[in-house]
Structure formats: C-alpha cells, structure tokens
Amino acid sequence: MHTVFVDFAKAFDHVDNNILVARLVTLGLPNVIVRWMCAFLHDRRQRVKIGDVLSDWLQLKATEMPHGSNLGTVMFVILINVLQPGCLTHKYVDDTTMTEILRQSQVSCMQSFVDELVQQSTEAGMIVNGRKTKEMLIGTVARDRPPSVTE
C-alpha cells in the first residue's frame, strides 16, 4: 500500500473567497444562502477568549477563512470537495490522505495522483506544502535481487 498524507500550507488562510462563492453557486444553493455566506466571509474580525481575558480584535484578510467556526469548517470542506485525484482519497477538514493499493510487482501511479491533486489544489486556490506532505509505504518491498547477509 502506498499512502501520501497531504498538508495544505496555511489551509484556512489561503481560501479564495471568489472560488468558494462560485462553488456555492455551482452547488445550486439558493441566492439568499450565497449572499449570507458572502456576508459571513466579508470584512471579518475575530478575537480569542481565554477565561475572562479577551484579545484585541484582529481584522481578517480577504483570503482568510474564520478559524474555529463551524461554518468556516463547512465552507472549507465545500472548497476542497472537488479535489478528486484518481486514487482512494480521504478528507477530514484540511487533512487529505491519498492511498493506492498495489499488488506485488505492480508499478505505483502515486506520483501522477499527487500531480493531479496539486493541479486541482492550485485551481482551488490552495497550496500543497511539499515539506509537510509525507509518504508511507506499507507492506513488503519487491527486490530485484535476494537480500545479502549484511542487509
């Protein structure tokens, strides 16, 4: 099995609201819901409360999704739902895992799946973080030669 754990660079900070609104329209949501989401995304401020202490208000940039909000999470899921590389893919908010199950001696196509996901992500305004994206191989490794005694 060949698995790639994909990390999106500052996932909630790189949401293109224009792309997101276009997705909402494509889904056929009523105009009132689309307008409501536009109001939710436009001119946002947020702050943190720990106990009785409140931080100062922070003005969000136009490309930032509100962190920690249920609606922001749902909007992010709608944004990345179109990421569909040609392999088994699991998504949980901003975590995406791609898996390819290989028979022994079968050649992996994972690189083309990763390339496809990167292209789709770019079109969605998302950036795949290559430094934090990790690959894992599970199972036996096919060898062209028998192992030596020292291996």
Side-chain angles (χ1 to χ4, degrees):
M1 182 164 41
H2 194 174
T3 302
V4 174
F5 303 95
V6 179
D7 180 79
F8 293 103
K10 297 192 174 255
F12 280 77
D13 295 339
H14 289 134
V15 173
D16 185 324
N17 292 339
N18 294 323
I19 293 173
L20 178 57
V21 170
R23 282 278 147 71
L24 297 175
V25 171
T26 301
L27 289 172
L29 294 176
N31 286 338
V32 67
I33 300 293
V34 174
R35 287 193 316 268
W36 182 57
M37 289 312 307
C38 288
F40 172 74
L41 295 169
H42 181 69
D43 205 22
R44 296 287 303 185
R45 297 184 317 151
Q46 68 181 26
R47 66 180 178 176
V48 177
K49 180 179 180 182
I50 300 176
D52 294 333
V53 179
L54 288 171
S55 70
D56 292 333
W57 284 102
L58 174 67
Q59 183 73 34
L60 296 181
K61 297 174 188 163
T63 58
E64 290 181 331
M65 179 68 63
H67 296 244
S69 69
N70 292 333
L71 195 51
T73 302
V74 169
M75 291 297 98
F76 187 81
V77 168
I78 288 172
L79 179 69
I80 68 165
N81 189 50
V82 297
L83 303 181
Q84 300 291 330
C87 64
L88 183 61
T89 306
H90 300 284
K91 293 178 247 171
Y92 180 76
V93 189
D94 62 337
D95 294 321
T96 298
T97 303
M98 301 181 340
T99 303
E100 175 185 42
I101 299 171
L102 299 166
R103 291 185 172 81
Q104 195 170 13
S105 77
Q106 186 177 357
V107 176
S108 174
C109 295
M110 186 57 78
Q111 185 59 56
S112 64
F113 298 142
V114 169
D115 293 343
E116 186 177 2
L117 181 81
V118 168
Q119 177 63 36
Q120 292 172 358
S121 300
T122 301
E123 291 168 4
M126 304 301 298
I127 301 166
V128 173
N129 183 346
R131 290 186 197 159
K132 290 186 177 179
T133 295
K134 302 297 179 190
E135 173 184 45
M136 182 169 44
L137 299 172
I138 302 171
T140 58
V141 177
R143 293 180 178 253
D144 293 341
R145 59 179 176 76
S148 70
V149 176
T150 58
E151 288 187 35

